[in-house]
Amino acid sequence: MANETVMKPMAMVILYGANEDGRETHSVDVFISRIRRKTERHAVTIETINRTGYRLVDRLQWAKTLKLDTSVAH
């Protein structure tokens, strides 16, 4: 799903099913935060799209978008 946006309501359905029981979308933010911590060492970037949702971004593509020098070894 790289570069495809997952909207917060869609994430709510995926996480909690069609019956969300009045849960706040903040629970999705917390869930994404936990996923980020677990995947960052694997070069997985999850970009937040303000008030909309999330998207997976390839780090090399992200660096090129920001016009960072990707030839420098860290």
Side-chain angles (χ1 to χ4, degrees):
M1 292 196 61
N3 298 319
E4 291 185 28
T5 302
V6 175
M7 309 299 248
K8 283 188 178 186
M10 182 190 312
M12 292 290 290
V13 170
I14 291 167
L15 292 172
Y16 304 111
N19 186 7
E20 339 176 324
D21 297 327
R23 295 178 192 254
E24 296 292 326
T25 58
H26 179 69
S27 61
V28 174
D29 300 330
V30 172
F31 185 78
I32 293 295
S33 174
R34 290 178 181 164
I35 291 174
R36 281 182 175 136
R37 272 189 264 140
K38 292 179 180 186
T39 59
E40 65 186 2
R41 64 185 149 166
H42 301 289
V44 174
T45 301
I46 301 172
E47 178 182 51
T48 299
I49 301 170
N50 288 337
R51 300 179 185 184
T52 303
Y54 302 94
R55 163 172 70 189
L56 289 176
V57 179
D58 175 70
R59 284 186 186 249
L60 184 58
Q61 178 182 347
W62 181 73
K64 287 178 183 177
T65 301
L66 295 178
K67 296 179 177 53
L68 298 175
D69 184 7
T70 57
S71 62
V72 177
H74 293 282

